[in-house]
PDB file of all heavy atoms in Angstrom:
ATOM      1  N   PHE J  34     -17.551  -7.173  -5.197  1.00  0.00           N
ATOM      2  CA  PHE J  34     -18.191  -7.354  -6.501  1.00  0.00           C
ATOM      3  C   PHE J  34     -17.527  -8.497  -7.271  1.00  0.00           C
ATOM      4  O   PHE J  34     -18.195  -9.358  -7.849  1.00  0.00           O
ATOM      5  CB  PHE J  34     -18.078  -6.037  -7.280  1.00  0.00           C
ATOM      6  CG  PHE J  34     -18.749  -6.053  -8.611  1.00  0.00           C
ATOM      7  CD1 PHE J  34     -20.128  -5.960  -8.726  1.00  0.00           C
ATOM      8  CD2 PHE J  34     -18.000  -6.145  -9.766  1.00  0.00           C
ATOM      9  CE1 PHE J  34     -20.749  -5.957  -9.953  1.00  0.00           C
ATOM     10  CE2 PHE J  34     -18.609  -6.144 -11.015  1.00  0.00           C
ATOM     11  CZ  PHE J  34     -19.992  -6.054 -11.096  1.00  0.00           C
ATOM     12  N   VAL J  35     -16.183  -8.510  -7.237  1.00  0.00           N
ATOM     13  CA  VAL J  35     -15.453  -9.561  -7.958  1.00  0.00           C
ATOM     14  C   VAL J  35     -15.730 -10.933  -7.335  1.00  0.00           C
ATOM     15  O   VAL J  35     -15.895 -11.924  -8.052  1.00  0.00           O
ATOM     16  CB  VAL J  35     -13.940  -9.250  -7.972  1.00  0.00           C
ATOM     17  CG1 VAL J  35     -13.151 -10.442  -8.482  1.00  0.00           C
ATOM     18  CG2 VAL J  35     -13.670  -8.021  -8.833  1.00  0.00           C
ATOM     19  N   ILE J  37     -18.420 -11.901  -5.702  1.00  0.00           N
ATOM     20  CA  ILE J  37     -19.781 -12.355  -5.999  1.00  0.00           C
ATOM     21  C   ILE J  37     -19.929 -12.765  -7.463  1.00  0.00           C
ATOM     22  O   ILE J  37     -20.506 -13.787  -7.784  1.00  0.00           O
ATOM     23  CB  ILE J  37     -20.804 -11.247  -5.645  1.00  0.00           C
ATOM     24  CG1 ILE J  37     -20.839 -11.062  -4.129  1.00  0.00           C
ATOM     25  CG2 ILE J  37     -22.198 -11.600  -6.175  1.00  0.00           C
ATOM     26  CD1 ILE J  37     -21.668  -9.898  -3.675  1.00  0.00           C
ATOM     27  N   PHE J  38     -19.376 -11.941  -8.367  1.00  0.00           N
ATOM     28  CA  PHE J  38     -19.653 -12.176  -9.779  1.00  0.00           C
ATOM     29  C   PHE J  38     -18.633 -13.047 -10.495  1.00  0.00           C
ATOM     30  O   PHE J  38     -18.923 -13.600 -11.538  1.00  0.00           O
ATOM     31  CB  PHE J  38     -19.804 -10.843 -10.510  1.00  0.00           C
ATOM     32  CG  PHE J  38     -21.170 -10.270 -10.374  1.00  0.00           C
ATOM     33  CD1 PHE J  38     -21.464  -9.359  -9.374  1.00  0.00           C
ATOM     34  CD2 PHE J  38     -22.189 -10.670 -11.230  1.00  0.00           C
ATOM     35  CE1 PHE J  38     -22.737  -8.851  -9.241  1.00  0.00           C
ATOM     36  CE2 PHE J  38     -23.462 -10.164 -11.103  1.00  0.00           C
ATOM     37  CZ  PHE J  38     -23.744  -9.245 -10.099  1.00  0.00           C
ATOM     38  N   LEU J  39     -17.415 -13.157  -9.979  1.00  0.00           N
ATOM     39  CA  LEU J  39     -16.411 -13.959 -10.686  1.00  0.00           C
ATOM     40  C   LEU J  39     -15.946 -15.168  -9.897  1.00  0.00           C
ATOM     41  O   LEU J  39     -15.937 -16.289 -10.394  1.00  0.00           O
ATOM     42  CB  LEU J  39     -15.182 -13.097 -11.039  1.00  0.00           C
ATOM     43  CG  LEU J  39     -15.364 -12.039 -12.107  1.00  0.00           C
ATOM     44  CD1 LEU J  39     -14.041 -11.325 -12.352  1.00  0.00           C
ATOM     45  CD2 LEU J  39     -15.860 -12.660 -13.399  1.00  0.00           C
ATOM     46  N   ILE J  40     -15.538 -14.919  -8.672  1.00  0.00           N
ATOM     47  CA  ILE J  40     -14.894 -16.001  -7.928  1.00  0.00           C
ATOM     48  C   ILE J  40     -15.912 -17.063  -7.516  1.00  0.00           C
ATOM     49  O   ILE J  40     -15.671 -18.261  -7.664  1.00  0.00           O
ATOM     50  CB  ILE J  40     -14.116 -15.428  -6.721  1.00  0.00           C
ATOM     51  CG1 ILE J  40     -13.013 -14.501  -7.259  1.00  0.00           C
ATOM     52  CG2 ILE J  40     -13.522 -16.545  -5.879  1.00  0.00           C
ATOM     53  CD1 ILE J  40     -12.201 -13.795  -6.219  1.00  0.00           C
ATOM     54  N   ALA J  41     -17.086 -16.606  -7.051  1.00  0.00           N
ATOM     55  CA  ALA J  41     -18.101 -17.586  -6.638  1.00  0.00           C
ATOM     56  C   ALA J  41     -18.506 -18.516  -7.786  1.00  0.00           C
ATOM     57  O   ALA J  41     -18.509 -19.742  -7.616  1.00  0.00           O
ATOM     58  CB  ALA J  41     -19.315 -16.869  -6.046  1.00  0.00           C
ATOM     59  N   PRO J  42     -18.826 -17.974  -8.974  1.00  0.00           N
ATOM     60  CA  PRO J  42     -19.184 -18.900 -10.063  1.00  0.00           C
ATOM     61  C   PRO J  42     -18.053 -19.875 -10.407  1.00  0.00           C
ATOM     62  O   PRO J  42     -18.310 -21.041 -10.709  1.00  0.00           O
ATOM     63  CB  PRO J  42     -19.473 -17.973 -11.244  1.00  0.00           C
ATOM     64  CG  PRO J  42     -19.788 -16.660 -10.644  1.00  0.00           C
ATOM     65  CD  PRO J  42     -19.013 -16.576  -9.378  1.00  0.00           C
ATOM     66  N   LEU J  43     -16.816 -19.389 -10.336  1.00  0.00           N
ATOM     67  CA  LEU J  43     -15.688 -20.248 -10.669  1.00  0.00           C
ATOM     68  C   LEU J  43     -15.554 -21.380  -9.653  1.00  0.00           C
ATOM     69  O   LEU J  43     -15.409 -22.555 -10.009  1.00  0.00           O
ATOM     70  CB  LEU J  43     -14.404 -19.404 -10.713  1.00  0.00           C
ATOM     71  CG  LEU J  43     -13.163 -20.118 -11.199  1.00  0.00           C
ATOM     72  CD1 LEU J  43     -13.318 -20.522 -12.652  1.00  0.00           C
ATOM     73  CD2 LEU J  43     -11.945 -19.217 -11.045  1.00  0.00           C
TER      74      LEU J  43
ATOM     75  N   GLY Q  68     -27.504  -4.643 -17.025  1.00  0.00           N
ATOM     76  CA  GLY Q  68     -26.207  -5.299 -16.836  1.00  0.00           C
ATOM     77  C   GLY Q  68     -25.067  -4.356 -17.185  1.00  0.00           C
ATOM     78  O   GLY Q  68     -24.081  -4.235 -16.443  1.00  0.00           O
ATOM     79  N   LEU Q  71     -24.682  -1.671 -14.485  1.00  0.00           N
ATOM     80  CA  LEU Q  71     -23.985  -2.201 -13.306  1.00  0.00           C
ATOM     81  C   LEU Q  71     -22.486  -2.270 -13.573  1.00  0.00           C
ATOM     82  O   LEU Q  71     -21.667  -1.890 -12.738  1.00  0.00           O
ATOM     83  CB  LEU Q  71     -24.496  -3.610 -12.989  1.00  0.00           C
ATOM     84  CG  LEU Q  71     -25.638  -3.714 -11.988  1.00  0.00           C
ATOM     85  CD1 LEU Q  71     -26.077  -5.171 -11.866  1.00  0.00           C
ATOM     86  CD2 LEU Q  71     -25.186  -3.194 -10.628  1.00  0.00           C
ATOM     87  N   ASN Q  72     -22.152  -2.756 -14.770  1.00  0.00           N
ATOM     88  CA  ASN Q  72     -20.736  -2.841 -15.124  1.00  0.00           C
ATOM     89  C   ASN Q  72     -20.115  -1.464 -15.286  1.00  0.00           C
ATOM     90  O   ASN Q  72     -18.932  -1.278 -15.028  1.00  0.00           O
ATOM     91  CB  ASN Q  72     -20.558  -3.638 -16.406  1.00  0.00           C
ATOM     92  CG  ASN Q  72     -20.636  -5.122 -16.145  1.00  0.00           C
ATOM     93  OD1 ASN Q  72     -20.154  -5.583 -15.112  1.00  0.00           O
ATOM     94  ND2 ASN Q  72     -21.267  -5.855 -17.035  1.00  0.00           N
ATOM     95  N   LEU Q  97      -8.083 -12.276 -12.919  1.00  0.00           N
ATOM     96  CA  LEU Q  97      -9.380 -12.955 -12.978  1.00  0.00           C
ATOM     97  C   LEU Q  97     -10.426 -12.174 -13.761  1.00  0.00           C
ATOM     98  O   LEU Q  97     -11.412 -12.732 -14.220  1.00  0.00           O
ATOM     99  CB  LEU Q  97      -9.908 -13.201 -11.556  1.00  0.00           C
ATOM    100  CG  LEU Q  97      -9.506 -14.508 -10.896  1.00  0.00           C
ATOM    101  CD1 LEU Q  97     -10.094 -14.564  -9.499  1.00  0.00           C
ATOM    102  CD2 LEU Q  97      -9.977 -15.696 -11.712  1.00  0.00           C
ATOM    103  N   LEU Q  98     -10.204 -10.864 -13.904  1.00  0.00           N
ATOM    104  CA  LEU Q  98     -11.204 -10.037 -14.570  1.00  0.00           C
ATOM    105  C   LEU Q  98     -11.492 -10.500 -15.990  1.00  0.00           C
ATOM    106  O   LEU Q  98     -12.558 -10.241 -16.523  1.00  0.00           O
ATOM    107  CB  LEU Q  98     -10.745  -8.577 -14.600  1.00  0.00           C
ATOM    108  CG  LEU Q  98     -11.008  -7.809 -13.317  1.00  0.00           C
ATOM    109  CD1 LEU Q  98     -10.504  -6.388 -13.446  1.00  0.00           C
ATOM    110  CD2 LEU Q  98     -12.488  -7.808 -12.996  1.00  0.00           C
ATOM    111  N   ASP Q  99     -10.518 -11.180 -16.618  1.00  0.00           N
ATOM    112  CA  ASP Q  99     -10.739 -11.649 -17.979  1.00  0.00           C
ATOM    113  C   ASP Q  99     -11.524 -12.957 -18.033  1.00  0.00           C
ATOM    114  O   ASP Q  99     -11.789 -13.465 -19.117  1.00  0.00           O
ATOM    115  CB  ASP Q  99      -9.393 -11.840 -18.690  1.00  0.00           C
ATOM    116  CG  ASP Q  99      -8.772 -10.510 -19.033  1.00  0.00           C
ATOM    117  OD1 ASP Q  99      -9.508  -9.614 -19.445  1.00  0.00           O
ATOM    118  OD2 ASP Q  99      -7.549 -10.374 -18.887  1.00  0.00           O
ATOM    119  N   LEU Q 100     -11.842 -13.492 -16.875  1.00  0.00           N
ATOM    120  CA  LEU Q 100     -12.513 -14.800 -16.838  1.00  0.00           C
ATOM    121  C   LEU Q 100     -13.745 -14.873 -17.741  1.00  0.00           C
ATOM    122  O   LEU Q 100     -13.884 -15.833 -18.504  1.00  0.00           O
ATOM    123  CB  LEU Q 100     -12.880 -15.158 -15.392  1.00  0.00           C
ATOM    124  CG  LEU Q 100     -13.420 -16.576 -15.201  1.00  0.00           C
ATOM    125  CD1 LEU Q 100     -12.301 -17.596 -15.380  1.00  0.00           C
ATOM    126  CD2 LEU Q 100     -14.054 -16.743 -13.825  1.00  0.00           C
ATOM    127  N   PRO Q 101     -14.627 -13.863 -17.710  1.00  0.00           N
ATOM    128  CA  PRO Q 101     -15.816 -13.972 -18.577  1.00  0.00           C
ATOM    129  C   PRO Q 101     -15.479 -14.041 -20.071  1.00  0.00           C
ATOM    130  O   PRO Q 101     -16.259 -14.565 -20.852  1.00  0.00           O
ATOM    131  CB  PRO Q 101     -16.605 -12.698 -18.252  1.00  0.00           C
ATOM    132  CG  PRO Q 101     -16.175 -12.343 -16.876  1.00  0.00           C
ATOM    133  CD  PRO Q 101     -14.730 -12.712 -16.814  1.00  0.00           C
ATOM    134  N   PHE Q 102     -14.319 -13.515 -20.470  1.00  0.00           N
ATOM    135  CA  PHE Q 102     -13.901 -13.658 -21.862  1.00  0.00           C
ATOM    136  C   PHE Q 102     -13.498 -15.097 -22.168  1.00  0.00           C
ATOM    137  O   PHE Q 102     -13.710 -15.603 -23.266  1.00  0.00           O
ATOM    138  CB  PHE Q 102     -12.676 -12.789 -22.158  1.00  0.00           C
ATOM    139  CG  PHE Q 102     -12.958 -11.326 -22.255  1.00  0.00           C
ATOM    140  CD1 PHE Q 102     -11.990 -10.399 -21.906  1.00  0.00           C
ATOM    141  CD2 PHE Q 102     -14.168 -10.871 -22.730  1.00  0.00           C
ATOM    142  CE1 PHE Q 102     -12.240  -9.047 -22.016  1.00  0.00           C
ATOM    143  CE2 PHE Q 102     -14.419  -9.513 -22.840  1.00  0.00           C
ATOM    144  CZ  PHE Q 102     -13.443  -8.602 -22.480  1.00  0.00           C
ATOM    145  N   ALA Q 103     -12.859 -15.716 -21.180  1.00  0.00           N
ATOM    146  CA  ALA Q 103     -12.249 -17.026 -21.432  1.00  0.00           C
ATOM    147  C   ALA Q 103     -13.177 -18.182 -21.074  1.00  0.00           C
ATOM    148  O   ALA Q 103     -13.037 -19.264 -21.602  1.00  0.00           O
ATOM    149  CB  ALA Q 103     -10.944 -17.141 -20.648  1.00  0.00           C
ATOM    150  N   MET Q 104     -14.110 -17.935 -20.162  1.00  0.00           N
ATOM    151  CA  MET Q 104     -14.966 -19.025 -19.688  1.00  0.00           C
ATOM    152  C   MET Q 104     -16.140 -19.225 -20.647  1.00  0.00           C
ATOM    153  O   MET Q 104     -16.849 -18.275 -20.961  1.00  0.00           O
ATOM    154  CB  MET Q 104     -15.515 -18.669 -18.314  1.00  0.00           C
ATOM    155  CG  MET Q 104     -16.368 -19.766 -17.754  1.00  0.00           C
ATOM    156  SD  MET Q 104     -15.674 -20.388 -16.265  1.00  0.00           S
ATOM    157  CE  MET Q 104     -16.915 -19.932 -15.093  1.00  0.00           C
ATOM    158  N   PRO Q 105     -16.356 -20.433 -21.102  1.00  0.00           N
ATOM    159  CA  PRO Q 105     -17.485 -20.683 -22.000  1.00  0.00           C
ATOM    160  C   PRO Q 105     -18.800 -20.274 -21.351  1.00  0.00           C
ATOM    161  O   PRO Q 105     -18.999 -20.465 -20.150  1.00  0.00           O
ATOM    162  CB  PRO Q 105     -17.437 -22.193 -22.224  1.00  0.00           C
ATOM    163  CG  PRO Q 105     -16.030 -22.565 -21.966  1.00  0.00           C
ATOM    164  CD  PRO Q 105     -15.532 -21.632 -20.904  1.00  0.00           C
ATOM    165  N   THR Q 106     -19.686 -19.718 -22.173  1.00  0.00           N
ATOM    166  CA  THR Q 106     -20.918 -19.160 -21.621  1.00  0.00           C
ATOM    167  C   THR Q 106     -21.794 -20.229 -20.978  1.00  0.00           C
ATOM    168  O   THR Q 106     -22.444 -19.970 -19.973  1.00  0.00           O
ATOM    169  CB  THR Q 106     -21.708 -18.443 -22.720  1.00  0.00           C
ATOM    170  OG1 THR Q 106     -21.857 -19.337 -23.819  1.00  0.00           O
ATOM    171  CG2 THR Q 106     -20.988 -17.206 -23.187  1.00  0.00           C
ATOM    172  N   ALA Q 107     -21.794 -21.434 -21.534  1.00  0.00           N
ATOM    173  CA  ALA Q 107     -22.640 -22.486 -20.966  1.00  0.00           C
ATOM    174  C   ALA Q 107     -22.187 -22.822 -19.550  1.00  0.00           C
ATOM    175  O   ALA Q 107     -23.008 -23.039 -18.658  1.00  0.00           O
ATOM    176  CB  ALA Q 107     -22.577 -23.724 -21.856  1.00  0.00           C
ATOM    177  N   VAL Q 108     -20.870 -22.834 -19.350  1.00  0.00           N
ATOM    178  CA  VAL Q 108     -20.341 -23.137 -18.023  1.00  0.00           C
ATOM    179  C   VAL Q 108     -20.772 -22.058 -17.043  1.00  0.00           C
ATOM    180  O   VAL Q 108     -21.229 -22.334 -15.927  1.00  0.00           O
ATOM    181  CB  VAL Q 108     -18.808 -23.274 -18.072  1.00  0.00           C
ATOM    182  CG1 VAL Q 108     -18.254 -23.549 -16.693  1.00  0.00           C
ATOM    183  CG2 VAL Q 108     -18.394 -24.360 -19.045  1.00  0.00           C
ATOM    184  N   ALA Q 109     -20.624 -20.805 -17.484  1.00  0.00           N
ATOM    185  CA  ALA Q 109     -21.046 -19.696 -16.626  1.00  0.00           C
ATOM    186  C   ALA Q 109     -22.539 -19.817 -16.336  1.00  0.00           C
ATOM    187  O   ALA Q 109     -22.983 -19.591 -15.202  1.00  0.00           O
ATOM    188  CB  ALA Q 109     -20.745 -18.369 -17.313  1.00  0.00           C
ATOM    189  N   GLY Q 110     -23.294 -20.190 -17.346  1.00  0.00           N
ATOM    190  CA  GLY Q 110     -24.744 -20.298 -17.185  1.00  0.00           C
ATOM    191  C   GLY Q 110     -25.143 -21.287 -16.121  1.00  0.00           C
ATOM    192  O   GLY Q 110     -25.906 -20.948 -15.206  1.00  0.00           O
ATOM    193  N   SER Q 112     -23.345 -22.532 -13.766  1.00  0.00           N
ATOM    194  CA  SER Q 112     -22.782 -22.184 -12.473  1.00  0.00           C
ATOM    195  C   SER Q 112     -23.600 -21.089 -11.794  1.00  0.00           C
ATOM    196  O   SER Q 112     -23.932 -21.179 -10.617  1.00  0.00           O
ATOM    197  CB  SER Q 112     -21.335 -21.736 -12.669  1.00  0.00           C
ATOM    198  OG  SER Q 112     -20.800 -21.327 -11.458  1.00  0.00           O
ATOM    199  N   LEU Q 113     -23.941 -20.049 -12.554  1.00  0.00           N
ATOM    200  CA  LEU Q 113     -24.742 -18.961 -11.978  1.00  0.00           C
ATOM    201  C   LEU Q 113     -26.117 -19.463 -11.566  1.00  0.00           C
ATOM    202  O   LEU Q 113     -26.634 -19.085 -10.510  1.00  0.00           O
ATOM    203  CB  LEU Q 113     -24.877 -17.818 -12.990  1.00  0.00           C
ATOM    204  CG  LEU Q 113     -23.610 -16.989 -13.237  1.00  0.00           C
ATOM    205  CD1 LEU Q 113     -23.805 -16.033 -14.406  1.00  0.00           C
ATOM    206  CD2 LEU Q 113     -23.240 -16.201 -11.979  1.00  0.00           C
ATOM    207  N   LEU Q 116     -25.807 -21.237  -8.348  1.00  0.00           N
ATOM    208  CA  LEU Q 116     -25.542 -20.293  -7.259  1.00  0.00           C
ATOM    209  C   LEU Q 116     -26.814 -19.624  -6.774  1.00  0.00           C
ATOM    210  O   LEU Q 116     -27.009 -19.419  -5.576  1.00  0.00           O
ATOM    211  CB  LEU Q 116     -24.591 -19.196  -7.741  1.00  0.00           C
ATOM    212  CG  LEU Q 116     -23.091 -19.375  -7.586  1.00  0.00           C
ATOM    213  CD1 LEU Q 116     -22.379 -18.185  -8.206  1.00  0.00           C
ATOM    214  CD2 LEU Q 116     -22.725 -19.502  -6.117  1.00  0.00           C
ATOM    215  N   GLY Q 140     -32.347 -12.657 -12.754  1.00  0.00           N
ATOM    216  CA  GLY Q 140     -31.312 -13.643 -13.070  1.00  0.00           C
ATOM    217  C   GLY Q 140     -30.630 -13.335 -14.401  1.00  0.00           C
ATOM    218  O   GLY Q 140     -29.423 -13.495 -14.554  1.00  0.00           O
ATOM    219  N   ILE Q 141     -31.449 -12.877 -15.359  1.00  0.00           N
ATOM    220  CA  ILE Q 141     -30.877 -12.521 -16.659  1.00  0.00           C
ATOM    221  C   ILE Q 141     -29.880 -11.376 -16.484  1.00  0.00           C
ATOM    222  O   ILE Q 141     -28.780 -11.391 -17.050  1.00  0.00           O
ATOM    223  CB  ILE Q 141     -32.003 -12.127 -17.655  1.00  0.00           C
ATOM    224  CG1 ILE Q 141     -32.965 -13.309 -17.816  1.00  0.00           C
ATOM    225  CG2 ILE Q 141     -31.415 -11.710 -18.979  1.00  0.00           C
ATOM    226  CD1 ILE Q 141     -34.159 -13.020 -18.689  1.00  0.00           C
ATOM    227  N   VAL Q 142     -30.262 -10.390 -15.658  1.00  0.00           N
ATOM    228  CA  VAL Q 142     -29.355  -9.269 -15.413  1.00  0.00           C
ATOM    229  C   VAL Q 142     -28.045  -9.768 -14.799  1.00  0.00           C
ATOM    230  O   VAL Q 142     -26.957  -9.329 -15.186  1.00  0.00           O
ATOM    231  CB  VAL Q 142     -30.023  -8.215 -14.494  1.00  0.00           C
ATOM    232  CG1 VAL Q 142     -29.025  -7.125 -14.123  1.00  0.00           C
ATOM    233  CG2 VAL Q 142     -31.240  -7.610 -15.176  1.00  0.00           C
ATOM    234  N   VAL Q 143     -28.157 -10.696 -13.854  1.00  0.00           N
ATOM    235  CA  VAL Q 143     -26.948 -11.234 -13.226  1.00  0.00           C
ATOM    236  C   VAL Q 143     -26.041 -11.877 -14.272  1.00  0.00           C
ATOM    237  O   VAL Q 143     -24.835 -11.609 -14.336  1.00  0.00           O
ATOM    238  CB  VAL Q 143     -27.316 -12.259 -12.128  1.00  0.00           C
ATOM    239  CG1 VAL Q 143     -26.081 -13.033 -11.676  1.00  0.00           C
ATOM    240  CG2 VAL Q 143     -27.959 -11.568 -10.943  1.00  0.00           C
ATOM    241  N   ALA Q 144     -26.621 -12.713 -15.144  1.00  0.00           N
ATOM    242  CA  ALA Q 144     -25.817 -13.383 -16.171  1.00  0.00           C
ATOM    243  C   ALA Q 144     -25.181 -12.369 -17.116  1.00  0.00           C
ATOM    244  O   ALA Q 144     -24.004 -12.479 -17.477  1.00  0.00           O
ATOM    245  CB  ALA Q 144     -26.685 -14.364 -16.955  1.00  0.00           C
ATOM    246  N   LEU Q 145     -25.942 -11.357 -17.499  1.00  0.00           N
ATOM    247  CA  LEU Q 145     -25.418 -10.371 -18.435  1.00  0.00           C
ATOM    248  C   LEU Q 145     -24.363  -9.479 -17.784  1.00  0.00           C
ATOM    249  O   LEU Q 145     -23.461  -8.981 -18.458  1.00  0.00           O
ATOM    250  CB  LEU Q 145     -26.554  -9.519 -19.017  1.00  0.00           C
ATOM    251  CG  LEU Q 145     -27.565 -10.313 -19.872  1.00  0.00           C
ATOM    252  CD1 LEU Q 145     -28.652  -9.412 -20.410  1.00  0.00           C
ATOM    253  CD2 LEU Q 145     -26.855 -11.038 -21.017  1.00  0.00           C
ATOM    254  N   THR Q 146     -24.487  -9.295 -16.480  1.00  0.00           N
ATOM    255  CA  THR Q 146     -23.447  -8.556 -15.768  1.00  0.00           C
ATOM    256  C   THR Q 146     -22.146  -9.351 -15.790  1.00  0.00           C
ATOM    257  O   THR Q 146     -21.063  -8.819 -16.025  1.00  0.00           O
ATOM    258  CB  THR Q 146     -23.870  -8.276 -14.317  1.00  0.00           C
ATOM    259  OG1 THR Q 146     -25.138  -7.649 -14.320  1.00  0.00           O
ATOM    260  CG2 THR Q 146     -22.866  -7.381 -13.622  1.00  0.00           C
ATOM    261  N   PHE Q 147     -22.272 -10.655 -15.554  1.00  0.00           N
ATOM    262  CA  PHE Q 147     -21.085 -11.514 -15.566  1.00  0.00           C
ATOM    263  C   PHE Q 147     -20.369 -11.431 -16.910  1.00  0.00           C
ATOM    264  O   PHE Q 147     -19.175 -11.150 -16.970  1.00  0.00           O
ATOM    265  CB  PHE Q 147     -21.490 -12.964 -15.275  1.00  0.00           C
ATOM    266  CG  PHE Q 147     -20.350 -13.943 -15.452  1.00  0.00           C
ATOM    267  CD1 PHE Q 147     -19.446 -14.163 -14.425  1.00  0.00           C
ATOM    268  CD2 PHE Q 147     -20.172 -14.634 -16.648  1.00  0.00           C
ATOM    269  CE1 PHE Q 147     -18.393 -15.050 -14.584  1.00  0.00           C
ATOM    270  CE2 PHE Q 147     -19.122 -15.516 -16.819  1.00  0.00           C
ATOM    271  CZ  PHE Q 147     -18.234 -15.720 -15.775  1.00  0.00           C
ATOM    272  N   ILE Q 148     -21.104 -11.639 -18.011  1.00  0.00           N
ATOM    273  CA  ILE Q 148     -20.396 -11.724 -19.294  1.00  0.00           C
ATOM    274  C   ILE Q 148     -19.890 -10.360 -19.778  1.00  0.00           C
ATOM    275  O   ILE Q 148     -18.953 -10.294 -20.562  1.00  0.00           O
ATOM    276  CB  ILE Q 148     -21.261 -12.385 -20.396  1.00  0.00           C
ATOM    277  CG1 ILE Q 148     -22.576 -11.623 -20.556  1.00  0.00           C
ATOM    278  CG2 ILE Q 148     -21.506 -13.851 -20.129  1.00  0.00           C
ATOM    279  CD1 ILE Q 148     -22.710 -11.070 -21.905  1.00  0.00           C
ATOM    280  N   GLY Q 149     -20.453  -9.263 -19.269  1.00  0.00           N
ATOM    281  CA  GLY Q 149     -19.996  -7.952 -19.724  1.00  0.00           C
ATOM    282  C   GLY Q 149     -18.974  -7.313 -18.805  1.00  0.00           C
ATOM    283  O   GLY Q 149     -18.488  -6.217 -19.063  1.00  0.00           O
ATOM    284  N   LEU Q 150     -18.643  -8.025 -17.725  1.00  0.00           N
ATOM    285  CA  LEU Q 150     -17.821  -7.424 -16.674  1.00  0.00           C
ATOM    286  C   LEU Q 150     -16.471  -6.869 -17.145  1.00  0.00           C
ATOM    287  O   LEU Q 150     -16.081  -5.779 -16.741  1.00  0.00           O
ATOM    288  CB  LEU Q 150     -17.625  -8.464 -15.558  1.00  0.00           C
ATOM    289  CG  LEU Q 150     -17.254  -7.937 -14.183  1.00  0.00           C
ATOM    290  CD1 LEU Q 150     -17.823  -8.858 -13.126  1.00  0.00           C
ATOM    291  CD2 LEU Q 150     -15.777  -7.809 -13.994  1.00  0.00           C
ATOM    292  N   PRO Q 151     -15.731  -7.566 -17.996  1.00  0.00           N
ATOM    293  CA  PRO Q 151     -14.393  -7.057 -18.319  1.00  0.00           C
ATOM    294  C   PRO Q 151     -14.389  -5.798 -19.199  1.00  0.00           C
ATOM    295  O   PRO Q 151     -13.409  -5.077 -19.192  1.00  0.00           O
ATOM    296  CB  PRO Q 151     -13.747  -8.210 -19.101  1.00  0.00           C
ATOM    297  CG  PRO Q 151     -14.609  -9.392 -18.871  1.00  0.00           C
ATOM    298  CD  PRO Q 151     -15.965  -8.878 -18.596  1.00  0.00           C
ATOM    299  N   PHE Q 152     -15.469  -5.551 -19.940  1.00  0.00           N
ATOM    300  CA  PHE Q 152     -15.388  -4.506 -20.961  1.00  0.00           C
ATOM    301  C   PHE Q 152     -15.063  -3.130 -20.397  1.00  0.00           C
ATOM    302  O   PHE Q 152     -14.139  -2.463 -20.859  1.00  0.00           O
ATOM    303  CB  PHE Q 152     -16.689  -4.444 -21.766  1.00  0.00           C
ATOM    304  CG  PHE Q 152     -16.889  -5.629 -22.662  1.00  0.00           C
ATOM    305  CD1 PHE Q 152     -17.693  -6.676 -22.292  1.00  0.00           C
ATOM    306  CD2 PHE Q 152     -16.223  -5.692 -23.878  1.00  0.00           C
ATOM    307  CE1 PHE Q 152     -17.858  -7.776 -23.111  1.00  0.00           C
ATOM    308  CE2 PHE Q 152     -16.386  -6.792 -24.709  1.00  0.00           C
ATOM    309  CZ  PHE Q 152     -17.208  -7.838 -24.319  1.00  0.00           C
ATOM    310  N   ARG Q 205     -22.592  -6.782 -26.347  1.00  0.00           N
ATOM    311  CA  ARG Q 205     -22.329  -8.184 -26.065  1.00  0.00           C
ATOM    312  C   ARG Q 205     -23.528  -8.829 -25.369  1.00  0.00           C
ATOM    313  O   ARG Q 205     -23.935  -9.946 -25.687  1.00  0.00           O
ATOM    314  CB  ARG Q 205     -21.068  -8.286 -25.190  1.00  0.00           C
ATOM    315  CG  ARG Q 205     -20.759  -9.646 -24.634  1.00  0.00           C
ATOM    316  CD  ARG Q 205     -20.319 -10.619 -25.713  1.00  0.00           C
ATOM    317  NE  ARG Q 205     -20.631 -11.984 -25.343  1.00  0.00           N
ATOM    318  CZ  ARG Q 205     -19.789 -12.807 -24.750  1.00  0.00           C
ATOM    319  NH1 ARG Q 205     -18.568 -12.402 -24.489  1.00  0.00           N
ATOM    320  NH2 ARG Q 205     -20.148 -14.019 -24.432  1.00  0.00           N
ATOM    321  N   GLU Q 209     -26.160 -12.208 -26.209  1.00  0.00           N
ATOM    322  CA  GLU Q 209     -25.766 -13.328 -25.365  1.00  0.00           C
ATOM    323  C   GLU Q 209     -26.856 -14.413 -25.310  1.00  0.00           C
ATOM    324  O   GLU Q 209     -28.044 -14.131 -25.259  1.00  0.00           O
ATOM    325  CB  GLU Q 209     -25.456 -12.809 -23.951  1.00  0.00           C
ATOM    326  CG  GLU Q 209     -25.108 -13.885 -22.954  1.00  0.00           C
ATOM    327  CD  GLU Q 209     -23.939 -14.750 -23.375  1.00  0.00           C
ATOM    328  OE1 GLU Q 209     -23.184 -14.337 -24.278  1.00  0.00           O
ATOM    329  OE2 GLU Q 209     -23.784 -15.849 -22.833  1.00  0.00           O
ATOM    330  N   SER Q 212     -25.168 -18.103 -21.400  1.00  0.00           N
ATOM    331  CA  SER Q 212     -25.249 -17.961 -19.953  1.00  0.00           C
ATOM    332  C   SER Q 212     -26.674 -17.635 -19.506  1.00  0.00           C
ATOM    333  O   SER Q 212     -27.049 -17.915 -18.375  1.00  0.00           O
ATOM    334  CB  SER Q 212     -24.286 -16.872 -19.476  1.00  0.00           C
ATOM    335  OG  SER Q 212     -24.599 -15.655 -20.087  1.00  0.00           O
TER     336      SER Q 212
END
Side-chain angles (χ1 to χ4, degrees):
Chain J
F34 183 76
V35 169
I37 292 173
F38 277 94
L39 290 182
I40 298 177
L43 187 65
Chain Q
L71 267 176
N72 281 323
L97 270 179
L98 278 179
D99 287 320
L100 188 71
F102 286 150
M104 182 118 115
T106 52
V108 178
S112 177
L113 288 171
L116 269 177
I141 301 176
V142 174
V143 168
L145 296 180
T146 307
F147 172 84
I148 56 119
L150 201 149
F152 290 99
R205 171 70 207 265
E209 177 57 17
S212 59

